[in-house]
Amino acid sequence: MKPLRAPAHFRERGSTIVMALSAIALVTIFATSMLASVDSASKGVRLDVDRSQAHKYAEGLLEVAEQKLVDDIANFRPIPNPPANNPLLVMNGSVAIGGVTGTWKIERDVQTIAGISSTVPTTTSVDALTGLTKISDAYLVTSDVKIGDAKVRMKRHLMLDKTPIFQFLAFYEDDMEVFPGANMTLAGRLHANGTMYAGTSAQLTVDSKYMRTAEDLIRRRKDDGTLPTGPVKIRNATVATSAGLVTLPSRTDLLSLGINSPNGLDSKFTGWDINGDGYFNQAGEMAPFAHRATQLFNGTLQTGEHGVTPIGHPSIGSILPYESKSGGDFALQGSTYVPVTPGTGTHTRGYYHGQAALRIIGTRVYNSAGTEVTSSMPAGFITSRSLYDKRQNRTTTVTEVNMARLGDMDGNTATYDPSPHYPANGLIYATRFDSTVSQPNGIVITGASELNVPAKWDRRQYSGYPGCYANPLYTGSPPVGATDLTVAQKRGMTLVSDCPVYVRGDFNTVNAKASAVICDAVNLLSNAWNYSKTSSTQVTASNTTYNLAFITGNLNTTSGNYNGGFENLPRFHENWTGKTCTIKGSFVNTWQSAKARGNWVYGGNWYTAPTRVWSYDTSFDSGNLPPFTPMVISTRVMAWQSSL
């Protein structure tokens, strides 16, 4: 029997169905493949987007970490001890940015030499021309960020450079004005982030290889536009002898050459081009200021036209006793700051107040823990006195601090009895809550010819002691009671105040130690000061020497009102005529005085000028700096790497 066969039209339809089903299968497979491919591509796009975002966040975390390192070092915050499992760790943390949390860490960078790994050592470099010292440390900054399936790790090899602010004879955040009425020699670096105005009716000598301003050098006075006629001499950076002191051409000097310049040679001088060809190379011609200054001084005198930019001075911690802060540790009740449960108050101690190991509030004394120790301080350490300040035109109340009593409690030089409360970290904070702009009461430092424990009590300073220093100060045997002084007992001092500070008498002249004053306004009183000055009487000064650096406020010069200039940045109050004021240190002006705002006035019962012998303390260049010296912190990226 033959098998049944479907009609032909049925056979054709069936073939079509099979073909259709096959096509559908192929399309389905293709579509599925396409969908998988699209999904895979979508995931790839998403991963690329996440990686891009994570990369940006990781970069941001590196910046956060770097800024944290800079802030902590600039503000002398202690670095925690590293954990045992990572001795290189300096600090670490996590930060939430835009809903994404990443982690960062900073470690001391390492180097490998001859197969041996070690931390990169601290280096000190000195600019051959300027002499500015830079202290450098190497760090490795790492950040990790995860977004979705994307993980990014970034590393930055960082060199952190520290430049102490006390590397200048004078550093001004704004304009610097120097117009002494008597001969004045400045031996040290001068820098202004603003314009430098310089001239004299006598002679001004800048015996330094560094005289720089980020803006212009102007020879006319800022207050009234007059042009002093005295010579200004500046050292040629390549000539060390007296022949290297070259005169900055005055208006008269240029006129004698047939050149008409309203100010002489300064930033306003655009050159003298007789034939107008722009080359300044013909007889009788002179190049514009920037080029001519380079010819004359070989790099000593430079302005913004030479490429000088503002120096980012350190963020100097607040000199206020207390600052407003939500979640602080103190609350203001009336005129008193009262401790409260930490985190519940409205105020916190200002930076220097909080860091100080010894605090003087009015006539009360406190240790670093905030415990009052007034009763255990030596007799005569604190005295309240009245001082007439002609510049402020009023009698002020001052807290006189006798520094000698910290090193010798009873004043008997034959016995060894230093105060146990000399600040171990070298920082003293002093203020008066009754000091205001209308009544600028202040602080007087006296008895400070030798700071801390007298060196005579260090037995290693005697040549007759078996364990003496290589170059002892004294011959013979040490006195009875002498001992090995500690580092803290040999340290200098930095005193900080939000009030005017008066430095009375020779300061730090015996076995000098690196020391500083940071305050609203620095005032200098001679060895002859006796508080007898009144509105109608004057005190005659005597020769006095001050070995200290200071950061102080000033007032801005306005039209018709000179602020006294750099020569009066430290304020005088006596008849100094014929007497010498010697200062060895550094002068820094980064703010305006908030309390001592009396205008500068010369003569009469205000003051008369001393012979000024002012120089930079070159020991600062070797790292011998006052406690809590603010640092200019900068960073350099040495290398970086990124991994996904």
Side-chain angles (χ1 to χ4, degrees):
M1 182 176 190
K2 293 181 179 180
L4 295 174
R5 300 181 64 187
H9 65 279
F10 279 121
R11 291 201 302 271
E12 292 173 358
R13 184 181 176 195
S15 176
T16 302
I17 290 173
V18 171
M19 293 176 62
L21 289 173
S22 297
I24 290 171
L26 289 171
V27 170
T28 300
I29 292 171
F30 179 74
T32 301
S33 176
M34 287 295 293
L35 287 172
S37 177
V38 169
D39 183 57
S40 177
S42 177
K43 288 181 179 179
V45 170
R46 180 71 263 167
L47 182 60
D48 287 342
V49 171
D50 287 347
R51 281 176 176 168
S52 177
Q53 291 297 317
H55 192 276
K56 292 178 181 178
Y57 284 124
E59 281 189 313
L61 278 179
L62 290 180
E63 295 297 329
V64 169
E66 181 178 330
Q67 191 57 52
K68 169 68 173 170
L69 177 67
V70 169
D71 286 347
D72 281 8
I73 291 177
N75 289 289
F76 303 98
R77 297 190 184 105
I79 303 297
N81 292 324
N85 62 349
N86 187 0
L88 298 177
L89 185 67
V90 176
M91 61 182 72
N92 59 2
S94 61
V95 177
I97 306 175
V100 177
T101 299
T103 61
W104 58 267
K105 65 179 178 180
I106 301 174
E107 300 167 292
R108 290 300 304 266
D109 212 346
V110 298
Q111 61 183 5
T112 301
I113 300 176
I116 300 175
S117 296
S118 62
T119 57
V120 179
T122 298
T123 60
T124 300
S125 57
V126 180
D127 185 279
L129 179 62
T130 66
L132 288 178
T133 298
K134 181 169 59 181
I135 305 165
S136 304
D137 288 297
Y139 295 91
L140 173 62
V141 186
T142 304
S143 64
D144 289 284
V145 173
K146 182 178 184 297
I147 299 178
D149 292 330
K151 296 180 180 179
V152 172
R153 167 170 288 183
M154 297 194 72
K155 293 185 177 182
R156 180 180 292 176
H157 296 266
L158 190 72
M159 191 65 74
L160 185 141
D161 301 320
K162 297 179 289 185
T163 303
I165 191 66
F166 293 139
Q167 286 204 84
F168 302 89
L169 172 61
F171 175 90
Y172 274 62
E173 165 60 17
D174 203 346
D175 294 345
M176 180 191 296
E177 301 166 73
V178 189
F179 291 100
N183 291 348
M184 186 176 189
T185 297
L186 301 177
R189 308 175 192 99
L190 306 178
H191 184 95
N193 278 348
T195 294
M196 187 178 292
Y197 298 82
T200 181
S201 56
Q203 177 171 304
L204 173 62
T205 302
V206 179
D207 193 359
S208 167
K209 297 179 182 179
Y210 188 113
M211 181 181 182
R212 299 186 183 180
T213 168
E215 295 183 3
D216 295 326
L217 174 75
I218 302 298
R219 301 192 62 159
R220 290 185 179 272
R221 293 178 64 103
K222 182 181 178 181
D223 56 329
D224 60 15
T226 58
L227 182 65
T229 58
V232 176
K233 293 181 178 292
I234 302 171
R235 177 160 296 284
N236 180 306
T238 62
V239 183
T241 64
S242 58
L245 291 172
V246 179
T247 299
L248 181 69
S250 66
R251 172 173 167 75
T252 301
D253 293 333
L254 294 187
L255 284 174
S256 69
L257 299 175
I259 299 173
N260 185 11
S261 172
N263 295 2
L265 186 64
D266 70 1
S267 293
K268 299 293 185 182
F269 182 67
T270 57
W272 192 253
D273 188 5
I274 296 174
N275 60 14
D277 64 358
Y279 288 106
F280 306 101
N281 58 0
Q282 300 298 313
E285 295 185 336
M286 183 176 289
F289 166 74
H291 185 71
R292 185 58 179 154
T294 300
Q295 291 175 329
L296 290 173
F297 307 110
N298 275 302
T300 293
L301 176 59
Q302 296 187 36
T303 68
E305 197 173 353
H306 294 88
V308 177
T309 57
I311 290 179
H313 70 79
S315 176
I316 299 169
S318 173
I319 65 173
L320 295 174
Y322 294 92
E323 293 185 292
S324 296
K325 180 184 178 182
S326 178
D329 300 339
F330 295 85
L332 180 59
Q333 297 180 4
S335 59
T336 304
Y337 294 91
V338 179
V340 295
T341 302
T344 65
T346 56
H347 290 75
T348 187
R349 287 192 180 100
Y351 171 71
Y352 285 107
H353 184 193
Q355 295 281 343
L358 188 66
R359 303 160 183 171
I360 302 168
I361 312 295
T363 56
R364 296 180 180 273
V365 185
Y366 302 83
N367 63 19
S368 59
T371 303
E372 185 172 355
V373 294
T374 307
S375 61
S376 62
M377 296 305 293
F381 175 60
I382 295 289
T383 306
S384 183
R385 308 199 63 159
S386 295
L387 181 151
Y388 182 75
D389 186 323
K390 180 69 172 177
R391 178 162 173 168
Q392 305 306 321
N393 195 30
R394 67 196 67 248
T395 298
T396 63
T397 301
V398 294
T399 299
E400 186 178 74
V401 181
N402 187 341
M403 294 300 300
R405 290 294 178 266
L406 287 178
D408 182 1
M409 291 184 67
D410 63 5
N412 182 354
T413 59
T415 59
Y416 171 73
D417 59 342
S419 168
H421 297 298
Y422 190 95
N425 65 1
L427 182 61
I428 300 174
Y429 185 81
T431 189
R432 293 188 62 100
F433 290 151
D434 59 359
S435 181
T436 64
V437 67
S438 60
Q439 184 60 37
N441 298 328
I443 308 295
V444 174
I445 305 172
T446 191
S449 58
E450 183 170 14
L451 296 170
N452 212 331
V453 179
K456 64 176 287 185
W457 295 111
D458 189 343
R459 60 187 179 183
R460 291 170 295 183
Q461 291 288 7
Y462 290 83
S463 61
Y465 179 69
C468 70
Y469 294 124
N471 297 294
L473 296 172
Y474 309 109
T475 58
S477 299
V480 175
T483 184
D484 293 344
L485 297 187
T486 66
V487 171
Q489 289 176 316
K490 295 182 290 183
R491 181 175 286 132
M493 174 210 77
T494 293
L495 182 138
V496 180
S497 179
D498 65 321
C499 305
V501 171
Y502 302 79
V503 183
R504 180 188 180 195
D506 287 333
F507 183 92
N508 195 27
T509 53
V510 179
N511 300 317
K513 306 168 182 70
S515 299
V517 171
I518 303 174
C519 65
D520 182 72
V522 165
N523 301 261
L524 299 182
L525 305 175
S526 78
N527 288 311
W529 180 265
N530 57 11
Y531 291 97
S532 65
K533 182 171 181 174
T534 67
S535 60
S536 58
T537 61
Q538 182 59 284
V539 173
T540 299
S542 60
N543 297 336
T544 308
T545 298
Y546 311 86
N547 292 323
L548 83 162
F550 54 79
I551 304 174
T552 182
N554 200 5
L555 301 179
N556 280 329
T557 289
T558 57
S559 179
N561 190 13
Y562 185 44
N563 68 1
F566 167 57
E567 64 272 22
N568 291 293
L569 185 60
R571 305 177 184 187
F572 296 101
H573 299 268
E574 300 162 84
N575 175 8
W576 283 83
T577 301
K579 302 300 189 295
T580 299
C581 171
T582 302
I583 302 176
K584 185 179 181 182
S586 178
F587 305 66
V588 177
N589 173 224
T590 56
W591 56 65
Q592 298 296 299
S593 296
K595 294 181 178 178
R597 295 191 56 81
N599 289 329
W600 172 81
V601 180
Y602 184 78
N605 287 334
W606 280 269
Y607 84 102
T608 56
T611 298
R612 298 176 177 90
V613 180
W614 295 359
S615 62
Y616 171 66
D617 189 339
T618 56
S619 71
F620 294 166
D621 285 339
S622 61
N624 180 36
L625 295 161
F628 289 81
T629 291
M631 300 278 187
V632 176
I633 307 294
S634 59
T635 56
R636 292 174 285 145
V637 176
M638 310 304 291
W640 66 274
Q641 61 191 91
S642 175
S643 60
L644 304 176

